[in-house]
Amino acid sequence: MGDRGGTGGSRRRRTGSRPSSQGGGGPAAAEEEVRDVGAGGDAPAPDKDKDGGANVGSGPWDLRCHRVQDSLFSSDSGFSNYRGILNWCVVMLILSNARLFLENLIKYGILVDPIQVVSLFLKDPYSWPALCLVIVANIFAVAAFQVEKRLAVGALTEQAGLLLHVLNLATILCFPAAVAFLQESITPVGSVLALMVYTILFLKLVSYRDVNLWCRERRARGKTKPASAGKKANGAVPQRAGTVSYPDNLTYRDLYYFLFAPTLCYELNFPRSPRIRKRFLLRRLLEMLFFTQLQVGLIQQWMVPTIQNSMKPFKDMDYSRIIERLLKLAVPNHLIWLIFFYWLFHSCLNAVAELMQFGDREFYRDWWNSESVTYFWQNWNIPVHKWCIRHFYKPMLRRGSSKWVARTGVFLTSAFFHEYLVSIPLRMFRLWAFTGMMAQIPLAWIVSRFFRGNYGNAAVWLTLIIGQPVAVLMYVHDYYVLHHEAVTGGP
């Protein structure tokens, strides 16, 4: 192979072409060539051929082939490109889960049944209580709207308006809970969906009431200021062309745009995208369809048999078998949770936002890089996090509460709604979800105190992978004991 045109190659050519008084060889020539390398003592990198190896014609450069350097896995090496190892992990994950999937098929056969999915939503094809509950929810939205209309024109005092809002919001939580608990024809899945709609409506109407109250307070302050400050009195500050100011926002169009928008925080002028991107929307809709089918299939084929096989160890209190079943359930449960996250926060919310030309698409942040439990809860569900900060955490701080008390209050509220969405549909109160949420407070302290960096991130992942199956098994066991064993053990 010929020499390349690098500096080293030119230097070698010049050295090799010099006339030597000693006949062109021997130690003197070698010393001269080594000295020609440079005063630093380290030889430049030898020429590479096109395959990445050293040029076979490098000659005297082979006298020195070592230098001070660290192994790549050492932290001092500065090496960070582990893409190949990540790909290996993905391949191993696929192969191991493929083996589990094949084992499941051999053991149980095909368990996926679309008809059974329909039965989860309906007991009686002529009775649709969950859908009726969702339709009735419009009454509470209109009631909140009418209260705000009368407050805007001064027909109600602020105290009377607050009382009416509190009664309306309390009814939003109590009415569907009573129907779900007392109506025999409603299924647990249908009850969960209806209660989720009412919970979202509750959070949205709290924000709707607060923002309109802030606008009234700003308008009242503006009336007492000089005329130069008057243009800052209504709604957004300062006003731009095409924006809506208070009380012009109090229309049914504005209300229902907010109710269907993928956000829990109200404002008078939402950021809007210029157009609907049809290809983007089609991709999101196809993702919704695909991941819905995938979740249903994984639950029926993988999770249900594992849960059913876990009942006997729980009944016998066989702790080793319980732990084995817990670990076996952790893999499908976590996989389904990850798919559900992508399905909801990326596919569904982006599809709705695209249809409504809603501009703010920050529905999640990089929670997978969480090095603390607190960071995870602040970044995995941005709509809820924004609502908690805007309408709960900051108001508590303004009223003089400490940050620790305000943070504990946020977790208490979250724990209440988690238990609300689980216990009422199952018609049993075991407080596992409430306890799990409140346990996040000491867990957050432990992780931040004893685990940092990658260890903290691993601790967060471990709590996600193991914590959820524990709650699932607890509720399933209690539900099984309450409904199935009571029936089989009865007279």
Side-chain angles (χ1 to χ4, degrees):
M1 297 175 64
D3 289 332
R4 284 177 159 175
T7 304
S10 300
R11 190 172 293 169
R12 285 196 297 274
R13 285 194 294 271
R14 288 196 299 272
T15 302
S17 62
R18 288 176 183 170
S20 176
S21 59
Q22 300 182 8
E31 280 185 10
E32 180 179 335
E33 289 178 357
V34 172
R35 282 198 304 271
D36 199 26
V37 166
D42 285 338
D47 288 343
K48 305 286 185 178
D49 60 19
K50 63 181 179 181
D51 295 325
N55 195 318
V56 295
S58 58
W61 299 107
D62 291 337
L63 292 174
R64 192 159 194 153
C65 63
H66 296 287
R67 61 187 175 91
V68 177
Q69 54 186 333
D70 293 299
S71 299
L72 294 185
F73 287 150
S74 301
S75 58
D76 294 336
S77 69
F79 183 78
S80 60
N81 184 9
Y82 297 103
R83 183 182 59 198
I85 295 179
L86 177 62
N87 291 335
W88 170 78
C89 292
V90 172
V91 171
M92 292 297 294
L93 181 65
I94 293 173
L95 290 177
S96 60
N97 284 290
R99 184 199 66 79
L100 291 175
F101 182 72
L102 182 60
E103 179 185 19
N104 180 279
L105 283 178
I106 295 172
K107 186 175 182 180
Y108 300 108
I110 298 177
L111 301 176
V112 179
D113 183 5
I115 304 301
Q116 188 181 17
V117 176
V118 176
S119 68
L120 295 175
F121 293 88
L122 294 174
K123 282 184 179 178
D124 183 356
Y126 299 101
S127 178
W128 300 60
L131 180 60
C132 293
L133 274 175
V134 173
I135 295 173
V136 170
N138 288 276
I139 296 175
F140 303 102
V142 172
F145 172 78
Q146 291 298 331
V147 171
E148 286 300 326
K149 287 282 287 186
R150 282 156 178 76
L151 286 169
V153 298
L156 285 175
T157 64
E158 290 295 336
Q159 291 79 7
L162 175 61
L163 178 61
L164 291 174
H165 274 304
V166 169
L167 290 175
N168 188 48
L169 292 171
T171 308
I172 288 175
L173 293 181
C174 296
F175 171 69
V179 173
F181 200 76
L182 300 175
Q183 180 59 254
E184 292 295 331
S185 62
I186 192 169
T187 64
V189 175
S191 179
V192 167
L193 295 178
L195 290 176
M196 286 183 66
V197 170
Y198 274 82
T199 300
I200 293 171
L201 178 64
F202 174 88
L203 299 177
K204 283 177 177 277
L205 291 184
V206 168
S207 181
Y208 189 71
R209 180 259 172 190
D210 284 352
V211 173
N212 283 305
L213 173 63
W214 297 336
C215 289
R216 287 194 298 274
E217 291 174 346
R218 179 171 289 174
R219 183 176 62 175
R221 288 196 303 267
K223 289 180 180 179
T224 62
K225 292 181 179 180
S228 60
K231 56 186 176 181
K232 294 185 177 182
N234 294 329
V237 180
Q239 290 296 313
R240 302 186 303 273
T243 59
V244 177
S245 59
Y246 186 82
D248 296 335
N249 64 303
L250 297 176
T251 63
Y252 283 110
R253 179 187 178 90
D254 178 87
L255 172 67
Y256 276 92
Y257 180 88
F258 169 56
L259 293 181
F260 284 98
T263 180
L264 298 175
C265 294
Y266 177 70
E267 60 182 84
L268 276 65
N269 300 283
F270 289 105
R272 305 292 291 270
S273 55
R275 62 184 180 87
I276 297 177
R277 296 169 292 175
K278 295 181 177 60
R279 290 185 179 179
F280 179 87
L281 178 60
L282 181 60
R283 285 197 299 269
R284 301 288 84 81
L285 293 175
L286 291 175
E287 286 175 357
M288 289 170 60
L289 179 62
F290 171 74
F291 285 119
T292 299
Q293 300 295 328
L294 182 60
Q295 289 178 87
V296 170
L298 288 175
I299 291 172
Q300 289 185 322
Q301 186 69 42
W302 202 350
M303 277 195 68
V304 172
T306 304
I307 292 173
Q308 289 175 344
N309 293 335
S310 303
M311 292 302 100
K312 190 176 186 305
F314 265 97
K315 185 178 179 180
D316 299 338
M317 297 306 292
D318 186 347
Y319 294 107
S320 59
R321 293 286 293 170
I322 290 174
I323 294 174
E324 185 268 338
R325 288 294 163 182
L326 174 65
L327 296 176
K328 190 171 184 178
L329 181 63
V331 175
N333 178 84
H334 188 64
L335 180 61
I336 291 168
W337 181 79
L338 291 175
I339 295 172
F340 172 79
F341 167 81
Y342 186 91
W343 173 82
L344 176 61
F345 288 95
H346 188 73
S347 301
C348 295
L349 294 186
N350 268 296
V352 174
E354 195 67 29
L355 280 172
M356 304 187 70
Q357 294 180 262
F358 185 80
D360 187 0
R361 309 294 176 87
E362 190 186 39
F363 304 124
Y364 54 90
R365 298 191 190 118
D366 61 332
W367 58 264
W368 47 87
N369 293 324
S370 302
E371 297 179 0
S372 67
V373 175
T374 303
Y375 187 88
F376 168 79
W377 288 110
Q378 290 173 347
N379 291 277
W380 95 278
N381 188 339
I382 295 301
V384 170
H385 174 68
K386 283 183 178 178
W387 187 94
C388 290
I389 293 295
R390 189 189 195 200
H391 300 288
F392 197 96
Y393 184 78
K394 287 184 177 179
M396 288 191 69
L397 294 181
R398 287 194 291 267
R399 289 181 174 89
S401 300
S402 65
K403 289 185 177 181
W404 187 88
V405 172
R407 192 177 297 117
T408 304
V410 170
F411 274 104
L412 274 170
T413 304
S414 179
F416 165 78
F417 280 110
H418 277 78
E419 192 66 37
Y420 176 81
L421 292 172
V422 176
S423 291
I424 292 175
L426 295 178
R427 298 174 183 173
M428 61 180 193
F429 298 93
R430 297 295 186 271
L431 299 181
W432 297 120
F434 185 90
T435 304
M437 280 303 303
M438 293 309 299
Q440 300 298 307
I441 298 175
L443 179 64
W445 180 84
I446 292 172
V447 172
S448 62
R449 177 71 175 81
F450 298 103
F451 301 94
R452 301 292 175 86
N454 290 334
Y455 296 104
N457 183 251
V460 172
W461 276 113
L462 187 63
T463 58
L464 291 175
I465 295 172
I466 300 298
Q468 293 175 1
V470 172
V472 170
L473 284 179
M474 291 298 183
Y475 275 108
V476 171
H477 171 263
D478 291 349
Y479 187 82
Y480 177 83
V481 171
L482 186 63
H483 291 80
H484 296 277
E485 288 197 351
V487 173
T488 57

